[in-house]
Structures are given as C-alpha cells and as structure tokens.
Amino acid sequence: MTVQWPQTTAAAFGNDLIYATHDLHKRDVFSDEGIIRILDEFPRDQLAIWKFGGHSEGLGESIRGQAPKASGAEIMEAVRSGKFWLNVRRSNLLLDYMAEIGQEIFGSLEDATGRKTRKQDMGLLISSPGIHVNYHLDIPIVALVQIRGEKTLWLYPNDDIHAPADQIEDIVHMRREEDLPFRDGFDDNAIKIDLKPGMALTWPQAAPHRVQNADCVNVSLSCEYMTLPALMKANAIYTNGILRSQFGMNPQTARKLTPMNMSKAVAAQALKKITRHKPINKSTPPTFELDLSAENYARPL
C-alpha cells in the first residue's frame, strides 16, 4: 500500500486538508535499531536539534543545539528521557535506503494529484514525549507521515490574521526563522487533528500550524515539496518582499496564483539577479551540545 490518498485528492489539492493512510510504520528501518543506524550514518553537521519552550502567546522560544560527539544510541536516549526535537533533513538525498522511501511517498502524491513534485526534501522528525513544536509555517507544501507515537496538530487558516504578509515575506527572504507569534484566539479557527501511526496528511501551502506530542517518543516523516504553482506563489512572495522593504509599498498577499502574482513570479527571477537586496542569515546559532552527562542532557556552549 505504502501511501493511499483518497480519490478526491486531485480536486482538493492546494485548497483543503487531505488525509491518507500508509503502512510505512511497519518497516524495520523505523525501529529503534533502524533509527539509531540513521543517526549514526547521517552527516552530523546537518542534523537539526532544537529545544522549545512551552506553548504560550507570542513568539515561542527556540534553542538550537548540536551533537558532534554523541552516538546514535546516545541521541535516542536523550530524546526518550529529555526534551528534544530532531530533524534529519534531506534524508532522501543523503541516505540511499531513505531515498527509496521518499520516492514511494512523492510518487504517491504525484499519482494522486496529477502534479509533478519538485525540490523534494524528506525529513525524519524524532522528538521527545510531551514536547510542543512552536506555531510556524513552511513555505514548501508539506505531507506529514506519522510513523511512531501520537501527537496533535492544529492547522490554521493561511490569512493575514494568522500569517501576516510581511512575516511570510521575511521567511522567504531568510530574514527570520519559520516561527510566528501566536494568539490564544487563533485556536477558535483551527482544525485539530490527532495523529497516530498509519496516518498521513497534506495541507495547503504556507498554512500555519503547531504540534503537541503525547507522552511518548514521536517519529514522523515531514515531506516538503513544491509544485509549479507553489513555486510561482513563493516567487511572487519574494517580489512582494522587495516591493515592501525597498520601495515602501504594501502589496497584496500572494496567497492565490492570480495573473498579477504570476507576473510577480516572473519578475522575481530577474530581481534575484539584479537587486542589491541581500538576505539576512536567519540561521540560529547553536547554544548547547547534546551530552548525556550534562544537566537535562544539554551542555551550554
């Protein structure tokens, strides 16, 4: 089966939340031994390690770490007993056996939607019991495949209230991380999804969301991708960011692929070559090293 999308996927794609089922959680590669192997073989300098603060209003706390010396087994022990969120980014591009799984997932999406997927990035998410992932959005489209554990995802509308245009533009221009300020009233407009192994879903591009793990280790596949319309919308947002930051304009948010936004997407290609605008490095520097001998398994750097 791999991933089974509903027959209505093509019609709903890009506009609605779409649920699917899968059997990937039954594979040995996602056992403890399999995940330890992945962690040992994956380039350690590309492993994303984060600690998040508790859920509250405003911009959530995010602290980045690193684990240059810890073994895969030690990292898994820290995840089980501590409060860590890991992303084995681009696992489909860096590990051959993960590439095969990525081909299955992205192939299933292409078959179901009738659209070619581009810029495929399959991240393996490994996270601690009870951890909360801050309110944020992703510029690529995301398909989330739940492998182990249970968690709740809240999905919010992609509009100016929940995701202001200037903040999305800053994300596209790499002036900030993907986290956004949260307000308690946002939950009134959220779709709440309880995820269990064997479930998968994909949602409209750049829809904000947050995640709360149950009291168990969680393993998921976060499959980021673009379609041609999604790429054009992202490029239109890029142009809007320049119009706002350099020319003081207040452009309309590029949430739909209108003729105007198609023109902006074309303009972005030229602007990227000729503009003097330089993206600010948004990368948060690591401030701790994962260390089982340290308090809370995090040694300050």
Side-chain angles (χ1 to χ4, degrees), residues 19-37:
Y19 295 87
T21 57
H22 69 88
D23 58 7
L24 293 168
H25 58 298
K26 299 177 181 179
R27 301 194 183 181
D28 290 342
V29 68
F30 299 119
S31 65
D32 278 355
E33 294 77 12
I35 292 174
I36 288 171
R37 175 194 176 194

PDB file of all heavy atoms in Angstrom, residues 19-37:
ATOM      1  N   TYR A  19      -6.393  13.757   4.022  1.00  0.00           N
ATOM      2  CA  TYR A  19      -5.924  12.648   4.848  1.00  0.00           C
ATOM      3  C   TYR A  19      -5.573  11.449   3.978  1.00  0.00           C
ATOM      4  O   TYR A  19      -6.170  11.230   2.913  1.00  0.00           O
ATOM      5  CB  TYR A  19      -7.000  12.226   5.847  1.00  0.00           C
ATOM      6  CG  TYR A  19      -7.365  13.258   6.882  1.00  0.00           C
ATOM      7  CD1 TYR A  19      -8.330  14.225   6.623  1.00  0.00           C
ATOM      8  CD2 TYR A  19      -6.749  13.269   8.128  1.00  0.00           C
ATOM      9  CE1 TYR A  19      -8.679  15.171   7.576  1.00  0.00           C
ATOM     10  CE2 TYR A  19      -7.092  14.209   9.089  1.00  0.00           C
ATOM     11  CZ  TYR A  19      -8.055  15.155   8.805  1.00  0.00           C
ATOM     12  OH  TYR A  19      -8.386  16.078   9.753  1.00  0.00           O
ATOM     13  N   ALA A  20      -4.608  10.649   4.450  1.00  0.00           N
ATOM     14  CA  ALA A  20      -4.239   9.418   3.765  1.00  0.00           C
ATOM     15  C   ALA A  20      -3.894   8.346   4.796  1.00  0.00           C
ATOM     16  O   ALA A  20      -3.777   8.625   5.998  1.00  0.00           O
ATOM     17  CB  ALA A  20      -3.046   9.659   2.839  1.00  0.00           C
ATOM     18  N   THR A  21      -3.745   7.122   4.333  1.00  0.00           N
ATOM     19  CA  THR A  21      -3.282   6.017   5.167  1.00  0.00           C
ATOM     20  C   THR A  21      -2.007   5.439   4.555  1.00  0.00           C
ATOM     21  O   THR A  21      -1.730   5.622   3.362  1.00  0.00           O
ATOM     22  CB  THR A  21      -4.348   4.911   5.280  1.00  0.00           C
ATOM     23  OG1 THR A  21      -4.687   4.455   3.962  1.00  0.00           O
ATOM     24  CG2 THR A  21      -5.602   5.443   5.965  1.00  0.00           C
ATOM     25  N   HIS A  22      -1.229   4.742   5.396  1.00  0.00           N
ATOM     26  CA  HIS A  22       0.024   4.168   4.909  1.00  0.00           C
ATOM     27  C   HIS A  22       0.414   2.981   5.787  1.00  0.00           C
ATOM     28  O   HIS A  22      -0.189   2.738   6.851  1.00  0.00           O
ATOM     29  CB  HIS A  22       1.139   5.217   4.924  1.00  0.00           C
ATOM     30  CG  HIS A  22       1.570   5.617   6.308  1.00  0.00           C
ATOM     31  ND1 HIS A  22       2.556   4.952   7.006  1.00  0.00           N
ATOM     32  CD2 HIS A  22       1.133   6.603   7.131  1.00  0.00           C
ATOM     33  CE1 HIS A  22       2.717   5.508   8.196  1.00  0.00           C
ATOM     34  NE2 HIS A  22       1.857   6.519   8.303  1.00  0.00           N
ATOM     35  N   ASP A  23       1.429   2.235   5.346  1.00  0.00           N
ATOM     36  CA  ASP A  23       1.937   1.112   6.139  1.00  0.00           C
ATOM     37  C   ASP A  23       3.436   1.228   6.391  1.00  0.00           C
ATOM     38  O   ASP A  23       4.089   0.248   6.757  1.00  0.00           O
ATOM     39  CB  ASP A  23       1.606  -0.217   5.450  1.00  0.00           C
ATOM     40  CG  ASP A  23       2.171  -0.321   4.040  1.00  0.00           C
ATOM     41  OD1 ASP A  23       2.939   0.590   3.626  1.00  0.00           O
ATOM     42  OD2 ASP A  23       1.848  -1.294   3.336  1.00  0.00           O
ATOM     43  N   LEU A  24       3.995   2.418   6.228  1.00  0.00           N
ATOM     44  CA  LEU A  24       5.433   2.607   6.405  1.00  0.00           C
ATOM     45  C   LEU A  24       5.876   2.365   7.843  1.00  0.00           C
ATOM     46  O   LEU A  24       7.044   2.008   8.081  1.00  0.00           O
ATOM     47  CB  LEU A  24       5.824   4.032   5.983  1.00  0.00           C
ATOM     48  CG  LEU A  24       5.683   4.350   4.492  1.00  0.00           C
ATOM     49  CD1 LEU A  24       5.822   5.838   4.251  1.00  0.00           C
ATOM     50  CD2 LEU A  24       6.733   3.581   3.689  1.00  0.00           C
ATOM     51  N   HIS A  25       4.962   2.537   8.782  1.00  0.00           N
ATOM     52  CA  HIS A  25       5.328   2.376  10.196  1.00  0.00           C
ATOM     53  C   HIS A  25       5.666   0.928  10.542  1.00  0.00           C
ATOM     54  O   HIS A  25       6.217   0.664  11.611  1.00  0.00           O
ATOM     55  CB  HIS A  25       4.191   2.863  11.088  1.00  0.00           C
ATOM     56  CG  HIS A  25       2.887   2.170  10.862  1.00  0.00           C
ATOM     57  ND1 HIS A  25       2.213   2.221   9.666  1.00  0.00           N
ATOM     58  CD2 HIS A  25       2.126   1.413  11.686  1.00  0.00           C
ATOM     59  CE1 HIS A  25       1.093   1.522   9.764  1.00  0.00           C
ATOM     60  NE2 HIS A  25       1.020   1.024  10.980  1.00  0.00           N
ATOM     61  N   LYS A  26       5.380   0.004   9.654  1.00  0.00           N
ATOM     62  CA  LYS A  26       5.670  -1.403   9.907  1.00  0.00           C
ATOM     63  C   LYS A  26       7.081  -1.810   9.483  1.00  0.00           C
ATOM     64  O   LYS A  26       7.490  -2.944   9.718  1.00  0.00           O
ATOM     65  CB  LYS A  26       4.648  -2.269   9.177  1.00  0.00           C
ATOM     66  CG  LYS A  26       3.198  -2.035   9.612  1.00  0.00           C
ATOM     67  CD  LYS A  26       2.229  -2.872   8.812  1.00  0.00           C
ATOM     68  CE  LYS A  26       0.787  -2.624   9.222  1.00  0.00           C
ATOM     69  NZ  LYS A  26      -0.173  -3.426   8.416  1.00  0.00           N
ATOM     70  N   ARG A  27       7.823  -0.894   8.897  1.00  0.00           N
ATOM     71  CA  ARG A  27       9.134  -1.243   8.346  1.00  0.00           C
ATOM     72  C   ARG A  27      10.222  -1.183   9.422  1.00  0.00           C
ATOM     73  O   ARG A  27      10.229  -0.303  10.292  1.00  0.00           O
ATOM     74  CB  ARG A  27       9.478  -0.315   7.183  1.00  0.00           C
ATOM     75  CG  ARG A  27       8.440  -0.406   6.071  1.00  0.00           C
ATOM     76  CD  ARG A  27       8.921   0.213   4.806  1.00  0.00           C
ATOM     77  NE  ARG A  27       7.872   0.172   3.787  1.00  0.00           N
ATOM     78  CZ  ARG A  27       8.010   0.625   2.557  1.00  0.00           C
ATOM     79  NH1 ARG A  27       9.160   1.173   2.190  1.00  0.00           N
ATOM     80  NH2 ARG A  27       7.015   0.551   1.700  1.00  0.00           N
ATOM     81  N   ASP A  28      11.174  -2.094   9.298  1.00  0.00           N
ATOM     82  CA  ASP A  28      12.249  -2.201  10.288  1.00  0.00           C
ATOM     83  C   ASP A  28      13.128  -0.964  10.348  1.00  0.00           C
ATOM     84  O   ASP A  28      13.758  -0.695  11.380  1.00  0.00           O
ATOM     85  CB  ASP A  28      13.117  -3.425   9.985  1.00  0.00           C
ATOM     86  CG  ASP A  28      12.386  -4.736  10.255  1.00  0.00           C
ATOM     87  OD1 ASP A  28      11.371  -4.710  10.986  1.00  0.00           O
ATOM     88  OD2 ASP A  28      12.821  -5.775   9.719  1.00  0.00           O
ATOM     89  N   VAL A  29      13.192  -0.208   9.253  1.00  0.00           N
ATOM     90  CA  VAL A  29      14.040   0.979   9.236  1.00  0.00           C
ATOM     91  C   VAL A  29      13.619   1.986  10.305  1.00  0.00           C
ATOM     92  O   VAL A  29      14.439   2.815  10.751  1.00  0.00           O
ATOM     93  CB  VAL A  29      14.022   1.638   7.832  1.00  0.00           C
ATOM     94  CG1 VAL A  29      12.658   2.243   7.519  1.00  0.00           C
ATOM     95  CG2 VAL A  29      15.125   2.684   7.694  1.00  0.00           C
ATOM     96  N   PHE A  30      12.368   1.899  10.779  1.00  0.00           N
ATOM     97  CA  PHE A  30      11.882   2.840  11.783  1.00  0.00           C
ATOM     98  C   PHE A  30      11.807   2.230  13.180  1.00  0.00           C
ATOM     99  O   PHE A  30      11.212   2.823  14.094  1.00  0.00           O
ATOM    100  CB  PHE A  30      10.515   3.382  11.366  1.00  0.00           C
ATOM    101  CG  PHE A  30      10.555   4.137  10.060  1.00  0.00           C
ATOM    102  CD1 PHE A  30       9.811   3.712   8.970  1.00  0.00           C
ATOM    103  CD2 PHE A  30      11.364   5.252   9.913  1.00  0.00           C
ATOM    104  CE1 PHE A  30       9.851   4.397   7.766  1.00  0.00           C
ATOM    105  CE2 PHE A  30      11.427   5.942   8.712  1.00  0.00           C
ATOM    106  CZ  PHE A  30      10.658   5.507   7.631  1.00  0.00           C
ATOM    107  N   SER A  31      12.417   1.052  13.366  1.00  0.00           N
ATOM    108  CA  SER A  31      12.580   0.503  14.713  1.00  0.00           C
ATOM    109  C   SER A  31      13.655   1.304  15.437  1.00  0.00           C
ATOM    110  O   SER A  31      14.344   2.146  14.835  1.00  0.00           O
ATOM    111  CB  SER A  31      13.009  -0.961  14.629  1.00  0.00           C
ATOM    112  OG  SER A  31      14.306  -1.057  14.041  1.00  0.00           O
ATOM    113  N   ASP A  32      13.821   1.090  16.735  1.00  0.00           N
ATOM    114  CA  ASP A  32      14.888   1.786  17.466  1.00  0.00           C
ATOM    115  C   ASP A  32      16.241   1.545  16.808  1.00  0.00           C
ATOM    116  O   ASP A  32      17.042   2.481  16.634  1.00  0.00           O
ATOM    117  CB  ASP A  32      14.927   1.312  18.924  1.00  0.00           C
ATOM    118  CG  ASP A  32      13.892   2.005  19.790  1.00  0.00           C
ATOM    119  OD1 ASP A  32      13.200   2.916  19.290  1.00  0.00           O
ATOM    120  OD2 ASP A  32      13.778   1.638  20.979  1.00  0.00           O
ATOM    121  N   GLU A  33      16.497   0.289  16.448  1.00  0.00           N
ATOM    122  CA  GLU A  33      17.781  -0.040  15.824  1.00  0.00           C
ATOM    123  C   GLU A  33      17.935   0.665  14.480  1.00  0.00           C
ATOM    124  O   GLU A  33      19.018   1.156  14.133  1.00  0.00           O
ATOM    125  CB  GLU A  33      17.902  -1.551  15.642  1.00  0.00           C
ATOM    126  CG  GLU A  33      17.987  -2.348  16.938  1.00  0.00           C
ATOM    127  CD  GLU A  33      16.628  -2.499  17.629  1.00  0.00           C
ATOM    128  OE1 GLU A  33      15.586  -2.191  16.985  1.00  0.00           O
ATOM    129  OE2 GLU A  33      16.611  -2.911  18.797  1.00  0.00           O
ATOM    130  N   GLY A  34      16.839   0.728  13.720  1.00  0.00           N
ATOM    131  CA  GLY A  34      16.898   1.385  12.423  1.00  0.00           C
ATOM    132  C   GLY A  34      17.137   2.881  12.550  1.00  0.00           C
ATOM    133  O   GLY A  34      17.922   3.462  11.780  1.00  0.00           O
ATOM    134  N   ILE A  35      16.492   3.520  13.506  1.00  0.00           N
ATOM    135  CA  ILE A  35      16.673   4.961  13.682  1.00  0.00           C
ATOM    136  C   ILE A  35      18.073   5.273  14.201  1.00  0.00           C
ATOM    137  O   ILE A  35      18.699   6.260  13.783  1.00  0.00           O
ATOM    138  CB  ILE A  35      15.590   5.510  14.629  1.00  0.00           C
ATOM    139  CG1 ILE A  35      14.223   5.422  13.944  1.00  0.00           C
ATOM    140  CG2 ILE A  35      15.896   6.959  15.024  1.00  0.00           C
ATOM    141  CD1 ILE A  35      13.064   5.801  14.821  1.00  0.00           C
ATOM    142  N   ILE A  36      18.597   4.437  15.092  1.00  0.00           N
ATOM    143  CA  ILE A  36      19.974   4.627  15.568  1.00  0.00           C
ATOM    144  C   ILE A  36      20.945   4.530  14.404  1.00  0.00           C
ATOM    145  O   ILE A  36      21.898   5.318  14.289  1.00  0.00           O
ATOM    146  CB  ILE A  36      20.307   3.599  16.666  1.00  0.00           C
ATOM    147  CG1 ILE A  36      19.549   3.954  17.954  1.00  0.00           C
ATOM    148  CG2 ILE A  36      21.809   3.534  16.923  1.00  0.00           C
ATOM    149  CD1 ILE A  36      19.624   2.890  19.023  1.00  0.00           C
ATOM    150  N   ARG A  37      20.697   3.585  13.506  1.00  0.00           N
ATOM    151  CA  ARG A  37      21.546   3.461  12.315  1.00  0.00           C
ATOM    152  C   ARG A  37      21.485   4.739  11.477  1.00  0.00           C
ATOM    153  O   ARG A  37      22.524   5.240  11.022  1.00  0.00           O
ATOM    154  CB  ARG A  37      21.096   2.266  11.479  1.00  0.00           C
ATOM    155  CG  ARG A  37      21.840   2.133  10.146  1.00  0.00           C
ATOM    156  CD  ARG A  37      21.128   1.156   9.219  1.00  0.00           C
ATOM    157  NE  ARG A  37      21.786   1.108   7.916  1.00  0.00           N
ATOM    158  CZ  ARG A  37      21.241   0.562   6.826  1.00  0.00           C
ATOM    159  NH1 ARG A  37      20.037  -0.013   6.894  1.00  0.00           N
ATOM    160  NH2 ARG A  37      21.884   0.572   5.668  1.00  0.00           N
TER     161      ARG A  37
END
